[in-house]
Amino acid sequence: VSGERRDLHRLSGKSRRGAVDVPRPRAARARGGVGGGGGGGASSSTPTLRELTLEAPVRYAAGDAVEAWLHKALCLESPTRGSHALKEGLPAPADCALYEVDRDALFSYHALSERFLQRVMALYTAAHYKNTPNDLQLLSDAPAHRLFVLLGPVRDGSAAGDLPDVLVVVQVALEGAIAADAVRAALAKGERGAGDLVPWTLAQQFCDTNFARLSGARVVRVATHPDAQRVGYGSRALKLLVQYLEGELDERDADEDDDDDDDDD
């Protein structure tokens, strides 16, 4: 009995409902005589391995409505592989375009916006990011964070309620543009400001107060759809992102040029 209790203490289970991890069977004790008398007798007992399953929920009752609502509101549900399958197939990476997501529209409590947000967070989960409510709040409230998605070409005849296939999600943090005096004063006290990870780190390591004055972007997260990996979509998204940040790609300028052409006609 004492041996079985020790084995139970070594079991590591999940915090929620699910199967408990079963430990590997321990190596058998040294063969030989039982007791101190020596001899070639075999052991009187053989080790047994029992599988235990945790069926009762730990935090909530089974089928609790509050738990289901909380998971849906905070995008904590782990989606199945077929729930967000690609409907339009795999377009050529060169035909895909990068779009910046309007966060006010994304968190507007609209039904389509909620579905799109669930898709974005599902890609994070599929990319093995450990999502927490703090990550969702950072995406919605952090003023320096931007969200970009790589979408395929728009097809004619799409219904009004259809959402495009999200191939890649890129979350970016805009950093830099820090006054040299502020950096110099913080480094003199051995402190660093919140956020702006790259400028503060390089300023501390190289004692360069002028580097933080530059503006840049740091990729916080990048996730590719599980069915579209190793095709070139991630590289396409990062390439377009660099062009956009360098001012080579701006859809607003293209729209203005189209309007001017229409006026001339």
Side-chain angles (χ1 to χ4, degrees):
V1 176
S2 60
E4 293 181 359
R5 289 180 178 176
R6 287 195 298 268
D7 290 341
L8 285 176
H9 286 300
R10 291 188 178 94
L11 294 179
S12 59
K14 299 180 180 179
S15 59
R16 301 182 185 274
R17 65 178 69 92
V20 176
D21 298 334
V22 179
R24 296 180 180 178
R26 294 176 298 176
R29 295 182 178 179
R31 297 179 179 179
V34 179
S43 176
S44 60
S45 62
T46 57
T48 59
L49 185 62
R50 298 181 179 180
E51 181 178 357
L52 303 180
T53 304
L54 182 62
E55 298 290 347
V58 177
R59 299 180 181 177
Y60 300 92
D64 191 278
V66 176
E67 181 184 17
W69 171 84
L70 188 63
H71 280 203
K72 183 178 180 180
L74 299 180
C75 302
L76 297 177
E77 290 288 351
S78 297
T80 60
R81 187 174 183 85
S83 60
H84 299 296
L86 297 177
K87 300 179 180 179
E88 301 296 337
L90 296 178
D95 297 335
C96 300
L98 189 68
Y99 297 86
E100 182 176 1
V101 180
D102 188 349
R103 291 192 298 179
D104 293 336
L106 184 61
F107 293 93
S108 61
Y109 302 104
H110 192 274
L112 289 179
S113 300
E114 290 293 326
R115 288 172 52 194
F116 191 83
L117 179 61
Q118 292 288 342
R119 289 193 178 187
V120 170
M121 302 305 293
L123 288 187
Y124 282 158
T125 304
H128 304 288
Y129 284 111
K130 297 181 179 180
N131 296 322
T132 64
N134 292 335
D135 298 325
L136 188 63
Q137 182 181 11
L138 189 69
L139 182 62
S140 62
D141 295 341
H145 281 241
R146 301 290 186 271
L147 186 66
F148 297 87
V149 292
L150 184 72
L151 305 179
V154 180
R155 300 184 181 275
D156 298 334
S158 299
D162 291 342
L163 290 177
D165 291 333
V166 181
L167 301 174
V168 181
V169 177
V170 184
Q171 185 176 347
V172 177
L174 303 180
E175 298 182 339
I178 307 174
D181 296 337
V183 177
R184 192 177 299 108
L187 295 180
K189 298 178 182 179
E191 301 175 352
R192 58 182 297 173
D196 297 303
L197 179 62
V198 174
W200 282 110
T201 301
L202 295 182
Q204 284 183 330
Q205 293 294 328
F206 297 97
C207 298
D208 186 0
T209 59
N210 294 323
F211 182 83
R213 299 173 55 186
L214 303 177
S215 299
R218 174 172 57 91
V219 176
V220 180
R221 286 182 169 188
V222 55
T224 306
H225 196 282
D227 297 334
Q229 295 179 355
R230 301 184 181 276
V231 183
Y233 294 112
S235 301
R236 172 67 175 175
L238 294 179
K239 180 180 179 180
L240 294 177
L241 178 63
V242 172
Q243 294 179 358
Y244 172 75
L245 295 175
E246 291 179 350
E248 300 178 5
L249 180 65
D250 195 342
E251 294 293 338
R252 292 174 297 181
D253 294 342
D255 294 340
E256 292 177 358
D257 294 340
D258 294 340
D259 296 339
D260 293 341
D261 295 339
D262 294 339
D263 294 339
D264 295 338
D265 296 338

